Amino acid sequence: MAGATRERERDLELLIPVAGGGGGGGGGIIADNGASNSKSSSTSSSPAAVISSSHHHTGGEAFSKVIRSWASKKFMSGCVILLPIAITFYITWGFIHFVDGFFSPIYNHLGINIFGLGFVTSITFIFLVGVFMSSWLGASVLTLGEWFIKKMPLVSYIYAASKQISAAISPDQTSNAFKEVAIIRHPRIGEYAFGFITSSVVLQRSVGDEELSCVYVPTNHLYLGDIFLVNSDDIIRPNLSVREGIEIVISGGMSVPQILTTVNSRTIQATRIGNFPAVKVQSGL
C-alpha cells in the first residue's frame, strides 16, 4: 500500500508540472491560436476590403468614362449639325456683303443708308444682264468684249478658264461644257470612274467607223482631271443631271444616291448626235 501510495504521489508530482506546463503551454497554445486566428482573420478580411475598394474605384472610373463618352458624342453631334449651318450662314452673309458692296457706295454718296439695297440692286443688275445677253444684240456685245479680252496676254487665260467652269454649270444645255454624266470602267476591271461626257469623236479606220465619247474624269474637284476616249457603247449613263454630277464631285462622293439607275443609250443617241459636234479622226490602222 505504501509503495502504491508513493508511486501515486510521484505520478502526481510528475503530472502537476506537466499539467501546469501543459496548462501554461495549452494557454500559450490557446493564446497563440487566438493570435493566429486574429491574424488570419485580419489577413482574410484585408483582401476583401482591398477588393471592395478596388471594385468601388473601378465602378467610379467606368461611370466617369461613360459620362465622358456620352458628353463627347453629344458635343460632336452638335458640331456636325451646327457646322454646316454656320458655314452656310457665314458664306451667305459674306456673299451679301460682297455683292452689296458694288452699289452701296453709290447709295451712301447719295445719302441713302439702307442695308441690303445694294444687294437687291446687284441681283437686279445681274438678272438684266442675263436677259440682255440672251438677245442678239447682247450676244454681239459679248463677242466683241471677248475679242478684246483674248488680245490681253494674261487676262485671256484667266477668262478662258473661268468661262469653261461657268459653262459647265450653265443652264443652257446647248452651250454646256458637260453634256452628260458618265461612268466608265477605269482603271481596271471591277472598278469604275465617275466623269462627264464633253464631246464625241468618230474614229475612221479601215475596218470601219467607231464612235468615241470624250469623257472628262475629275481628279481634283473640277479644275484638274484626265480625258479618256471611250466607245459610246461601253459608257454607263446614270440617271443623273449634270448639276447633280457636279455636286457629287465637289462633295467627294458623299451626295451619291444609294441606288443609281441607268439610261438606255439608244433612247438618247439622237439627242446626243444633235448636241455633240462630231469630230472625225482618220486612222490608217
Side-chain angles (χ1 to χ4, degrees):
M1 292 294 292
T5 302
R6 283 197 298 270
E7 290 178 0
R8 187 177 297 174
E9 290 176 356
R10 191 185 309 113
D11 293 335
L12 289 174
E13 290 176 358
L14 294 173
L15 287 173
I16 288 172
V18 172
I29 293 171
I30 293 171
D32 292 338
N33 290 334
S36 62
N37 289 333
S38 63
K39 289 181 181 179
S40 63
S41 63
S42 63
T43 55
S44 62
S45 61
S46 61
V50 171
I51 293 173
S52 63
S53 62
S54 63
H55 279 298
H56 177 72
H57 289 295
T58 305
E61 291 177 358
F63 181 75
S64 63
K65 287 181 180 179
V66 170
I67 293 297
R68 287 197 300 268
S69 176
W70 178 82
S72 62
K73 287 181 180 179
K74 296 303 178 183
F75 181 79
M76 292 303 298
S77 299
C79 290
V80 169
I81 294 172
L82 294 177
L83 183 61
I85 298 175
I87 293 175
T88 302
F89 275 102
Y90 180 78
I91 295 176
T92 304
W93 187 256
F95 176 75
I96 291 174
H97 274 277
F98 176 75
V99 177
D100 185 75
F102 287 106
F103 290 94
S104 59
I106 299 175
Y107 290 111
N108 293 332
H109 182 72
L110 296 175
I112 303 174
N113 297 321
I114 300 176
F115 178 75
L117 186 59
F119 175 77
V120 174
T121 306
S122 300
I123 296 299
T124 306
F125 176 75
I126 294 171
F127 174 76
L128 294 177
V129 168
V131 173
F132 176 72
M133 291 301 173
S134 299
S135 62
W136 176 83
L137 181 60
S140 301
V141 173
L142 180 62
T143 303
L144 182 61
E146 288 183 346
W147 183 81
F148 280 108
I149 292 175
K150 289 179 181 179
K151 296 299 181 179
M152 301 178 183
L154 180 61
V155 179
S156 60
Y157 294 105
I158 299 174
Y159 178 77
S162 59
K163 185 179 179 180
Q164 290 178 358
I165 296 173
S166 62
I169 59 176
S170 174
D172 188 6
Q173 295 297 327
T174 58
S175 61
N176 199 340
F178 296 157
K179 308 299 180 181
E180 297 178 56
V181 180
I183 298 176
I184 62 174
R185 293 178 176 87
H186 175 75
R188 58 180 65 90
I189 298 176
E191 296 184 7
Y192 300 89
F194 194 86
F196 301 93
I197 300 176
T198 57
S199 62
S200 65
V201 177
V202 177
L203 180 62
Q204 294 183 346
R205 298 186 297 179
S206 59
V207 295
D209 297 344
E210 183 180 4
E211 182 183 357
L212 303 176
S213 295
C214 184
V215 181
Y216 173 74
V217 178
T219 56
N220 185 8
H221 295 291
L222 292 175
Y223 307 107
L224 298 176
D226 298 327
I227 299 174
F228 299 94
L229 292 176
V230 186
N231 192 306
S232 300
D233 296 331
D234 296 334
I235 297 176
I236 301 174
R237 293 175 171 83
N239 191 13
L240 295 172
S241 63
V242 174
R243 194 162 294 183
E244 291 174 343
I246 293 174
E247 291 178 357
I248 291 172
V249 173
I250 294 176
S251 64
M254 291 185 292
S255 61
V256 177
Q258 294 183 354
I259 299 176
L260 285 176
T261 58
T262 59
V263 180
N264 189 3
S265 61
R266 292 183 179 180
T267 59
I268 59 174
Q269 185 175 5
T271 305
R272 187 178 71 249
I273 293 175
N275 291 335
F276 291 173
V279 180
K280 294 184 179 181
V281 179
Q282 295 182 354
S283 175
L285 298 178

